[in-house]
Amino acid sequence: MGLSVRFSRLPTNPDLPLPARATEHAAGYDVRSAEASVRLEPGDIRLVGTGLLMELPEGVECQVRPRSGLALKHGITLPNSPGTIDPDYRGELRVIMQNLGSQAVTLERGERIAQLVFARFEAPEVTEVD
C-alpha cells in the first residue's frame, strides 16, 4: 500500500476539492484558497487559509511551493519557499503569499494558490566532534 495523507475540512471549506495533482505525472498537489477574497497590493505579504487540516505520516514532510503561473502572470510568490510542514503539525494549512509584482492582485475563493510536495526524510542523530 502506498503513502496516505489524511485531510479534514474546517467550516471555512465545506466544498473545495482536496489537494490534487493536475496530471498523472505531476509532483505537486494544487491547494486552493478557502478565503472569500484576498487582495495583495505590491509588496504585501498575507497568510491565506485553505480551510484544511492535514495529518502526515511519521517521517514525511510537506513542502509548500509557489505556482509558476501565479509567479509569471502576477509576481506572486511564497517568501519562505519551500515552506516545510512537519508531521506533528495539526493546525490549518495556511500559505504565506507575497506580491512582488507592480499591480495589485486579488485571489478569489477556490483559486489554486500553491502546490504541495510530499517527501520522506531522515532524522539522524546529531553529535559534536573535535
Side-chain angles (χ1 to χ4, degrees):
M1 185 164 170
L3 185 64
S4 178
V5 176
R6 297 166 33 144
F7 285 90
S8 296
R9 296 174 185 276
L10 293 171
T12 57
N13 181 3
D15 59 340
L16 295 175
L18 292 179
R21 299 183 306 158
T23 66
E24 178 183 356
H25 298 289
Y29 289 69
D30 291 331
V31 66
R32 299 170 186 270
S33 170
E35 297 191 21
S37 184
V38 176
R39 183 172 174 87
L40 291 168
E41 297 291 337
D44 279 357
I45 298 175
R46 286 275 309 268
L47 195 56
V48 180
T50 66
L52 295 171
L53 304 172
M54 178 173 50
E55 183 181 343
L56 293 165
E58 187 175 322
V60 174
E61 68 161 326
C62 176
Q63 298 175 9
V64 184
R65 300 182 183 181
R67 292 197 59 249
S68 57
L70 284 177
L72 178 63
K73 293 175 189 171
H74 305 292
I76 301 296
T77 191
L78 311 184
N80 67 324
S81 180
T84 296
I85 300 173
D86 296 310
D88 59 349
Y89 177 71
R90 291 295 181 267
E92 180 182 6
L93 171 59
R94 295 184 292 174
V95 179
I96 303 169
M97 305 190 77
Q98 183 175 18
N99 182 355
L100 298 178
S102 59
Q103 302 291 321
V105 175
T106 301
L107 303 170
E108 299 299 338
R109 185 177 189 284
E111 190 165 347
R112 296 176 297 159
I113 58 170
Q115 55 184 326
L116 310 178
V117 175
F118 301 96
R120 296 187 187 278
F121 68 88
E122 296 292 325
E125 180 181 343
V126 176
T127 60
E128 184 174 351
V129 297
D130 291 333

